[in-house]
Amino acid sequence: MSTPPPERVRVTSSRRGAVPHRSRPAARDIDEQTELGDVYLDGLMRAQLRLSLVILALMVVGLAALPVVLALVPATRSTTVFGIPFPWVVLGVAVYPAAWVLARWYARQSERIESDFAEVVDEP
Amino acid sequence: MNHPLSIVAVVLVCLTTLAVGGLGLRLSRRTSDFYVAGRTVSPRLNASAIGGEYLSAASFLGVAGLVYGVGVDMLWLPVGYTLGYLVLLVMVAAPMRRSGAYTLPDFAEARLGSRAVRLVSSLLVVAIGWLYLVPQFQGASLTLTLVTGAPSWVGGFVVMVVIAAAVGAGGMRSITFVQAVQYWVKLTALAVPAFVLLLLWFRDGHPAPVVPPEWHVPLTPTGPGDHPVYRTASTLLALCLGTMGLPHVLVRYYTNPDGIGARRTTVTVIALLGTFYLLPPVYGVLGRVAFPVLPEGCARTPSSCACPTTWSAASGATCSRRCSPGAPSRRSSRPRPASRCRSPASSTRRCCGPGSRASPAATPRVCAASATPPSRRWSSPTR
């Protein structure tokens, strides 16, 4: 005699209460000021600082270049460009477009850094 | 001076200011409208407004006069004024806007978390504002007295009433429009005569200014104990950092919608300032062409100078004829103060000797020294 085997019972685990798996957006880490969020923010701030320092360094080098050129190549003191002495052209005209180009480059680069950061952070 | 025309021009500028201020009046409703123009000012409009605020008479009269007297070395000043905005752009423009502050002390407190810093910052803002306000009133009084002959209190009073009405009624929105219009008015007022003068100069065969050689070379010592490189570098450093501390400029950054707007504003400001600062050296150099030397004392009272107003009369002529004792003063509207102005005869002998125009290289040293206005010192005019 053999007893009939017990009826098979399907055992399942109810996952109704479980949260479906989802990657944490980085924005939440930043909002909650977790260590990971700090790493993200540090990266952004360091990139911006580096860009700023590069711009300032270029500015200083550009300004220092004029006295150096005048000292090393004395001929430039009396050279004329379109009838205007070279130092006048540099200090009176050329310096302004140069400053504008630097400023524009900075603005564009920093906007790019920010949009790159936003892309990383908002990724689901 | 043509009094009726001058009065018409002054009234026109005042009415324009009030009318433009009225434009902001209709839109100004909330607290944020009043203080920060609702934070909706576009970069271009804001840049024009900053330009209008930043460029005062010191920027064109001062720079032109210094270039006239000292030469190319004075061009470092407008360069510093402009580069200050580059430093401001890379250091503070965007963070300051994003802090959400209304004023400079707000920002200082938010950043450093200290009430004491806020108090110090408030006091400094008021002090800097005062230092700007007093010369503005003085300048308005002098200008109105000069062009219309009005008593000296009228200029300051008119400015006070017009600006107080525009600011009190419309707040930041009104004053943004007013300042933006002012930039373009100033640029036009400076550019049109400059181009006319340049055309006349070319027509007359573009004569070179009669100057000592150091006028053309930057970083020349002004005296035995002078260190030009050190002096220039420290001035540039002060100007670059000083721009970040101007409360009336910084407050404009709070009116941009966001940090990106603040940055774009600064880029445009640099373009506007660069355009503007092309003009004062033109006046300085052409002034030197027209008036190779000022008889001593004329540096302080130009209206009493007895020199021709065009250089065409002097083509080929010697300087002594131009500053001859018998030449009537074309511009004198006031009696010449005897204590300040040397007699024409002695100034002719000292600085208008024959040959000073014919051979620029042989310009006597005494001529260069007496041609220099008393502002030879490296003094930075307020902007």
Side-chain angles (χ1 to χ4, degrees):
Chain A
M1 272 302 273
S2 59
T3 51
E7 207 179 322
R8 292 174 76 108
V9 178
R10 183 187 287 172
V11 178
T12 57
S13 150
S14 163
R15 287 182 60 92
R16 265 179 301 173
V19 183
H21 178 72
R22 209 170 52 198
S23 63
R24 281 165 64 87
R28 206 168 123 197
D29 280 303
I30 292 169
D31 292 340
E32 291 171 1
Q33 303 194 340
T34 62
E35 277 181 38
L36 182 61
D38 286 349
V39 170
Y40 281 124
L41 268 189
D42 275 354
L44 172 67
M45 288 165 78
R46 211 171 302 125
Q48 296 279 35
L49 181 65
R50 201 182 307 126
L51 179 62
S52 297
L53 293 179
V54 166
I55 299 283
L56 287 183
L58 284 176
M59 185 184 111
V60 171
V61 167
L63 280 178
L66 178 66
V68 169
V69 166
L70 288 180
L72 293 183
V73 193
T76 51
R77 294 175 187 212
S78 46
T79 316
T80 56
V81 183
F82 301 117
I84 307 169
F86 174 72
W88 287 90
V89 174
V90 174
L91 281 181
V93 182
V95 75
Y96 299 114
W100 182 77
V101 166
L102 265 187
R104 194 175 156 79
W105 185 60
Y106 171 81
R108 291 198 163 178
Q109 286 299 110
S110 60
E111 278 173 32
R112 218 185 69 187
I113 290 174
E114 278 162 12
S115 68
D116 287 354
F117 179 77
E119 250 170 51
V120 169
V121 161
D122 292 337
E123 205 167 70
Chain B
M1 289 299 158
N2 198 338
H3 288 195
L5 263 185
S6 304
I7 292 172
V8 166
V10 170
V11 168
L12 208 64
V13 169
C14 287
L15 287 182
T16 310
T17 303
L18 284 173
V20 172
L23 202 66
L25 196 62
R26 294 180 289 123
L27 304 164
S28 199
R29 295 202 181 100
R30 291 167 295 145
T31 313
S32 132
D33 282 332
F34 192 80
Y35 285 113
V36 289
R39 302 206 197 268
T40 54
V41 180
S42 72
R44 280 185 188 181
L45 180 62
N46 204 16
S48 297
I50 291 176
E53 228 159 37
Y54 194 62
L55 300 167
S56 63
S59 275
F60 51 96
L61 293 182
V63 171
L66 287 169
V67 166
Y68 175 92
V70 182
V72 70
D73 231 359
M74 286 297 124
L75 290 182
W76 290 105
L77 288 173
V79 167
Y81 299 159
T82 310
L83 290 182
Y85 279 91
L86 193 56
V87 179
L88 190 150
L89 168 67
V90 302
M91 303 305 275
V92 296
M96 202 170 53
R97 170 59 193 89
R98 286 175 179 151
S99 72
Y102 274 102
T103 63
L104 204 54
D106 269 351
F107 179 62
E109 191 187 16
R111 201 62 190 249
L112 301 168
S114 156
R115 296 286 295 177
V117 166
R118 184 193 179 93
L119 187 69
V120 171
S121 172
S122 305
L123 289 175
L124 285 176
V125 165
V126 172
I128 295 171
W130 186 257
L131 286 178
Y132 266 92
L133 208 55
V134 171
Q136 300 290 339
F137 283 142
Q138 171 77 355
S141 295
L142 282 177
T143 310
L144 211 63
T145 305
L146 199 67
V147 298
T148 66
S152 62
W153 58 269
V154 176
F157 186 74
V158 168
V159 167
M160 190 186 73
V161 169
V162 169
I163 296 303
V167 174
M172 196 56 151
R173 227 183 244 282
S174 287
I175 224 64
T176 300
F177 290 131
V178 168
Q179 295 282 15
V181 168
Q182 299 256 331
Y183 170 81
W184 295 103
V185 169
K186 286 179 200 175
L187 186 69
T188 312
L190 209 58
V192 171
F195 279 111
V196 171
L197 285 172
L198 275 176
L199 279 179
L200 288 173
W201 180 63
F202 268 109
R203 197 199 59 188
D204 290 343
H206 48 87
V210 179
V211 288
E214 67 262 22
W215 205 72
H216 283 310
V217 181
L219 302 172
T220 43
T222 54
D226 186 42
H227 302 281
V229 174
Y230 173 72
R231 185 195 60 201
T232 305
S234 60
T235 306
L236 281 176
L237 183 68
L239 292 176
C240 286
L241 296 180
T243 305
M244 283 193 288
L246 295 175
H248 61 297
V249 168
L250 291 190
V251 78
R252 300 228 62 93
Y253 281 95
Y254 302 126
T255 64
N256 277 127
D258 53 16
I260 290 176
R263 282 201 206 102
R264 290 183 177 168
T265 296
T266 321
V267 176
T268 312
V269 166
I270 290 173
L272 296 180
L273 292 186
T275 311
F276 187 89
Y277 282 130
L278 293 177
L279 298 170
V282 171
Y283 284 94
V285 173
L286 291 186
R288 201 62 187 241
V289 172
F291 301 95
V293 287
L294 292 181
E296 209 165 290
C298 287
R300 287 188 66 88
T301 54
S303 59
S304 61
C305 190
C307 287
T309 49
T310 65
W311 46 78
S312 56
S315 310
T318 59
C319 185
S320 58
R321 199 167 94 207
R322 312 180 73 203
C323 294
S324 65
S329 168
R330 292 196 187 183
R331 293 181 162 194
S332 84
S333 55
R334 286 180 294 177
R336 182 209 304 258
S339 60
R340 281 206 189 142
C341 230
R342 298 170 61 89
S343 73
S346 70
S347 62
T348 303
R349 181 167 49 75
R350 269 199 69 197
C351 62
C352 298
S356 71
R357 184 174 175 84
S359 55
T363 306
R365 229 24 199 291
V366 62
C367 179
S370 62
T372 305
S375 55
R376 170 129 200 158
R377 283 167 284 115
W378 182 277
S379 56
S380 164
T382 51
R383 283 151 282 163

